[in-house]
Amino acid sequence: MRTTFTPAPDIADRIYEIARKSQKSLNEVVNDLIRKGLNDKPQIKESSARYRVEPLDLQLRPGLDEERLSKISQELDDEELIRRSDHS
């Protein structure tokens, strides 16, 4: 399979350097580098202890209106967006 590949200039420089030093063809160098990259697996260290989160039931205090709090939160978000757009 013939494919056109255009490496970034810094990568092309490294490929040419490796080919010159190793006296290999560009094709061999690129194939070797790709093969090595595909075979390398990231080192993921698994923790022996699992992290566990215990959820808390944070009920609203009596007399607080959840819908009203949501509306106030939205109004504050809107005001912040307007403030940021005014300073742009």
Side-chain angles (χ1 to χ4, degrees):
M1 175 174 85
R2 193 171 215 43
T3 303
T4 301
F5 168 69
T6 308
D10 61 320
I11 294 173
D13 291 343
R14 294 289 311 274
I15 292 171
Y16 283 115
E17 179 183 345
I18 293 168
R20 184 178 45 79
K21 287 181 178 179
S22 66
Q23 298 182 343
K24 291 183 178 181
S25 70
L26 289 175
N27 192 48
E28 288 176 297
V29 171
V30 170
N31 281 323
D32 289 347
L33 291 170
I34 291 172
R35 202 171 281 115
K36 183 180 182 327
L38 292 172
N39 288 331
D40 284 352
K41 293 183 179 148
Q43 299 296 324
I44 299 173
K45 185 177 180 180
E46 291 195 29
S47 174
S48 58
R50 297 202 108 160
Y51 186 76
R52 187 173 168 103
V53 176
E54 294 291 332
L56 293 175
D57 185 9
L58 300 176
Q59 296 179 355
L60 289 176
R61 292 183 180 171
L64 292 178
D65 182 1
E66 186 176 350
E67 288 182 31
R68 178 71 181 133
L69 289 174
S70 179
K71 185 176 178 184
I72 291 170
S73 175
Q74 183 61 50
E75 289 171 1
L76 290 171
D77 287 344
D78 292 346
E79 288 175 12
E80 179 65 15
L81 285 173
I82 291 168
R83 186 186 65 77
R84 287 184 184 178
S85 66
D86 288 344
H87 288 95
S88 297

